[in-house]
Amino acid sequence: MSSENPPPLNIPLHIRYIQSLGENQDDLVFHMTSHLRLNAIYWGLTAVAVMGQKDALPRDLMVDYVMSCWDEKAGGFGASPGHDAHIHATSSAIQILTMQDAIDRVDVPRVVKFILSLQQPSGVFAGDSFGEIDTRFLFCAVLALSVLGHLHELDIEKTAGYIRRCKNFDGGYGAREGAESHAAQVFVCTAALAILDRLDEIDHDTLGWWLAERQLPIGGLNGRPEKLEDVCYSFWVLSSMSILRKVTWIDAEKLTEFVLSAQDLEDGGIADRPGNQVDVFHTLFGVAGLSLLGYPGLEDLDPVYCMPAKFIEAKGLRTNWQSLPRRRA
Amino acid sequence: MSVIKQLGALLNRPPKSIEIVPGDGSDWMAEPLDDGELFNEHQPFLLIEENLGVPEKVLYMAYIPSVELFAESRHCIASPSIFPADHDRQNLLHSSAVIVLANPAHQTALNARKWLVELSILEACKELDFITALLAVRNCAKQNLLWRYRRWLLLQVHKTVAASNDMSGLSEDTLLGLAMPSEAWRHELATTLRACEIYPRNYFAWSHRYLCMKTLCALSMESSDHAQAYQEVLFEELVAMKRWVELHVSDYSAMQYLCMLHSGIQSTVKHLPNLSQIAEINDADLVTHACTLIEAYPDHEALWLYLRGALISTGRLHATDKALRDATVKEMTSFAERFLSRGAEGEGAFPMIQHAVSAADVSVVRRHIGRVLAWLMRQIGNPSMDDHVIAVTG
């Protein structure tokens, strides 16, 4: 890693980058990501909010777009109009509407019913009627129910019990029982258990070590052994460490340098690693990781919900996570 | 519109294999085909003995019109009680096939195809063959939606009890209850391996393989005429996986699967003991396997983690047998420390590292050894409190 100081976080440039997304609606890439649209809007909104400018994106247009994704037949949200309702899009919709103070637009009882209907006998959640299961969807369900104030309708033991069965011999968690430990899946399982107040299910030290071993000499983090470093793991790993109160097990300075070196200082945005193409996903998770590392000028982020901490605190949902103190500029 | 129909029809045959090739297909339009024919009836696509070539530019140009056609025709899904008109059916079949090839994460298109199978408009076994071909295409091979769909199709094709309960309602994503002949299981395992060759560390291919393995273990413990045949598949799998690991020394996905496979087989052998096969299992000691590979490639993190996994899955670190656990920790600590022992005069600084097959960097090996020694200490309840940031500093 270069001993030169990396460039500081260029907040105005990244805000402009996020504002420009969606301008090229004839672009093939825009069409090929329509199945992720609501997720992308949530990533963009959270990123600008963490950078202190939530109002950089037009609120009313956003709220109306979210509502146009409502699937009246299913009682949930699809990723974009014409896409089937899905739990991932639904949880992103709820996060967006919460941050935009527009949750009153949602038919909460119907959404709760949709979410609960996706729980399987084993305790995991499917994404939709297609039946794909993943601990990510379990987390989406737990997060959404929690934010909507309906967590009490969930069978906590059944849900936590499924996560218990996903614990691998290395202390990590995968997408389902028997799947390889993966940092992103570790995050969703850890965060879900934090919301369910069942962190006692985790072997904290073994998992903490597995997470610490994601850091490579270059400073970046990977998601699995012998994979390349990637900026998004600066959130998946760091948030899990934050929930386990072991953020000091990561070399914060090297990780910060790595994330900052992945910025595109001409057109804005952050990439998965230095020199690569930027996208809104890595921009959010880069900025989110920096927030947890105490980078100056950023808002506090709740690592459990991956939303600005103030929204979660306002709902009385804050749990006992720990991030590095915010440094002065 | 006609390109969508043309490509959709080719994809729905389905072909034996599909390859997305760079360019627009003009290269093969001018060339005579092998059998002397000058005219390629499928241009801009190429179909030879059911192997389909799709020019990348043509595929991506067809994407947006396919999405539009799909949107127009999917209204028939909204009214499931009405059997779709022929033109809607064809449009849905063609457009969804093109969408799924270009964008296998397009949930809604896959949902539509599943609905067509449920209505018997699409035959489950043909659709299974289509998915087999897709899973050998790089951008499709890692897509969990396709693996999930594949499992559902397997249950439909083999008409199991689980499938008959799944009439459009949700039923859990599993292969338990799938009683296929052992040859079909071998084909399934081969499909996942091909997907791992095309896309290394293929997360959902390995997850699918795990589900196959668990089902085979369950089947081999049932009192049936086929139990022995299923065990044979499992033993072949053990040999094949050890070989795969020897050829892919960075593939931790395979190594952690191998540890679970070993445990799975041991539990079946308890139910169907067969002396010669038990000997084979003991011979397949994963700890020895891992150590041998580490001696050749000590700079590979995955192998040190494989060793950790093997120590756990073979039960050598179980708290119930403290004597075995402590002896194992001692033995493995010596093994690791040997790599850092200095050579005799004239022999070079770290002979074990220098004589390794890989051009091992001493600092890299040191980092792996530091981690494994700390891990071994933790197994006997002696965590090193010095620095938790060993991940970077080594």
Side-chain angles (χ1 to χ4, degrees), chain A residues 38 41 61-70 77 93 96-97:
Chain A
L38 269 195
I41 292 172
L61 269 178
M62 185 183 294
V63 171
D64 287 344
Y65 183 81
V66 172
M67 295 316 299
S68 75
C69 298
W70 174 252
F77 290 87
I96 294 165
L97 295 173

Side-chain angles (χ1 to χ4, degrees), chain B residues 368-380:
Chain B
H368 299 328
I369 289 169
R371 288 182 184 184
V372 86
L373 290 176
W375 180 83
L376 285 165
M377 287 298 106
R378 293 201 300 278
Q379 303 317 302
I380 52 174

Side-chain angles (χ1 to χ4, degrees), chain A residues 285-325:
Chain A
F285 293 116
V287 160
L290 289 174
S291 174
L292 292 173
L293 291 169
Y295 194 84
L298 294 175
E299 304 248 338
D300 287 351
L301 176 92
D302 187 308
V304 173
Y305 294 84
C306 194
M307 290 164 66
K310 63 186 181 196
F311 294 108
I312 303 305
E313 279 157 14
K315 289 186 163 296
L317 294 174
R318 191 193 159 110
T319 52
N320 193 27
W321 51 270
Q322 180 194 54
S323 62
L324 294 184

Side-chain angles (χ1 to χ4, degrees), chain B residues 172-242:
Chain B
E172 188 122 16
D173 176 13
T174 179
L175 288 174
L176 289 173
L178 177 64
M180 302 195 291
S182 45
E183 264 324 293
W185 284 108
R186 288 188 176 93
H187 173 74
E188 206 52 34
L189 295 171
T191 302
T192 67
L193 216 59
R194 200 162 45 243
C196 292
E197 279 158 1
I198 286 175
Y199 198 97
R201 303 294 299 276
N202 191 329
Y203 189 86
F204 292 111
W206 284 110
S207 174
H208 182 79
R209 204 176 184 91
Y210 171 85
L211 294 171
C212 292
M213 183 266 287
K214 288 299 277 187
T215 306
L216 281 165
C217 287
L219 288 170
S220 64
M221 289 195 281
E222 283 175 6
S223 322
S224 80
D225 296 334
H226 307 290
Q228 184 103 21
Y230 294 132
Q231 270 208 338
E232 287 297 330
V233 178
L234 286 169
F235 287 128
E236 285 166 20
E237 173 75 342
L238 188 64
V239 172
M241 285 295 99
K242 283 183 69 188

Side-chain angles (χ1 to χ4, degrees), chain B residues 9-314:
Chain B
L10 287 168
L11 290 170
N12 285 318
R13 285 170 80 100
K16 209 166 57 184
S17 77
I18 302 167
E19 192 179 342
I20 301 176
V21 292
D24 59 7
S26 50
D27 295 350
W28 58 55
M29 280 198 241
E31 303 243 349
L33 298 179
D34 282 347
D35 60 4
E37 287 290 323
L38 288 174
F39 177 65
N40 175 9
E41 63 172 303
H42 300 296
Q43 67 186 43
F45 310 107
L46 191 63
L47 185 73
I48 298 181
E49 292 175 2
E50 295 304 317
N51 296 299
L52 177 65
V54 179
E56 192 173 34
K57 280 190 181 165
V58 177
L59 175 63
Y60 291 127
M61 279 191 57
Y63 184 78
I64 296 175
S66 296
V67 167
E68 287 163 359
L69 181 60
F70 178 78
E72 283 164 24
S73 38
R74 79 186 273 266
H75 64 271
C76 52
I77 301 176
S79 319
S81 56
I82 302 169
F83 200 80
D86 193 55
H87 64 271
D88 281 333
R89 219 186 319 164
Q90 292 302 313
N91 287 341
L92 213 52
L93 271 169
H94 296 322
S95 60
S96 62
V98 176
I99 291 170
V100 166
L101 177 61
N103 187 3
H106 199 292
Q107 191 108 17
T108 305
L110 279 168
N111 271 338
R113 292 187 74 85
K114 187 180 179 213
W115 178 74
L116 291 169
V117 173
E118 283 168 347
L119 282 186
S120 302
I121 291 170
L122 202 42
E123 285 176 50
C125 51
K126 281 182 74 175
E127 186 70 342
L128 190 60
D129 289 342
F130 177 45
I131 299 304
T132 303
L134 283 178
L135 287 171
V137 178
R138 195 185 151 83
N139 73 311
C140 298
K142 66 173 188 133
Q143 197 50 247
N144 192 33
L145 284 173
L146 292 180
W147 291 104
R148 163 47 177 148
Y149 189 32
R150 183 176 184 79
R151 289 190 282 273
W152 182 81
L153 288 165
L154 283 167
L155 292 170
Q156 303 306 309
V157 166
H158 294 275
K159 298 265 184 297
T160 62
V161 171
S164 63
N165 287 338
D166 175 17
M167 293 314 291
S168 77
L170 227 45
S171 85
E172 188 122 16
D173 176 13
T174 179
L175 288 174
L176 289 173
L178 177 64
M180 302 195 291
S182 45
E183 264 324 293
W185 284 108
R186 288 188 176 93
H187 173 74
E188 206 52 34
L189 295 171
T191 302
T192 67
L193 216 59
R194 200 162 45 243
C196 292
E197 279 158 1
I198 286 175
Y199 198 97
R201 303 294 299 276
N202 191 329
Y203 189 86
F204 292 111
W206 284 110
S207 174
H208 182 79
R209 204 176 184 91
Y210 171 85
L211 294 171
C212 292
M213 183 266 287
K214 288 299 277 187
T215 306
L216 281 165
C217 287
L219 288 170
S220 64
M221 289 195 281
E222 283 175 6
S223 322
S224 80
D225 296 334
H226 307 290
Q228 184 103 21
Y230 294 132
Q231 270 208 338
E232 287 297 330
V233 178
L234 286 169
F235 287 128
E236 285 166 20
E237 173 75 342
L238 188 64
V239 172
M241 285 295 99
K242 283 183 69 188
R243 185 76 190 127
W244 175 275
V245 161
E246 288 156 17
L247 295 173
H248 302 84
V249 292
S250 295
D251 193 343
Y252 181 67
S253 309
M255 292 166 198
Q256 57 96 46
Y257 166 77
L258 177 52
C259 293
M260 291 192 287
L261 168 66
H262 191 257
S263 302
I265 289 178
Q266 285 185 317
S267 55
T268 73
V269 164
K270 279 178 197 151
H271 281 257
L272 263 189
N274 175 313
L275 284 173
S276 63
Q277 283 169 340
I278 289 171
E280 217 177 304
I281 286 270
N282 287 337
D283 242 349
D285 181 28
L286 300 187
V287 174
T288 310
H289 191 230
C291 289
T292 308
L293 288 169
I294 287 170
E295 281 166 356
Y297 308 100
D299 54 331
H300 279 264
E301 181 192 11
L303 293 173
W304 290 97
L305 295 173
Y306 174 31
L307 176 61
R308 294 196 216 175
L311 287 168
I312 292 176
S313 72
T314 54

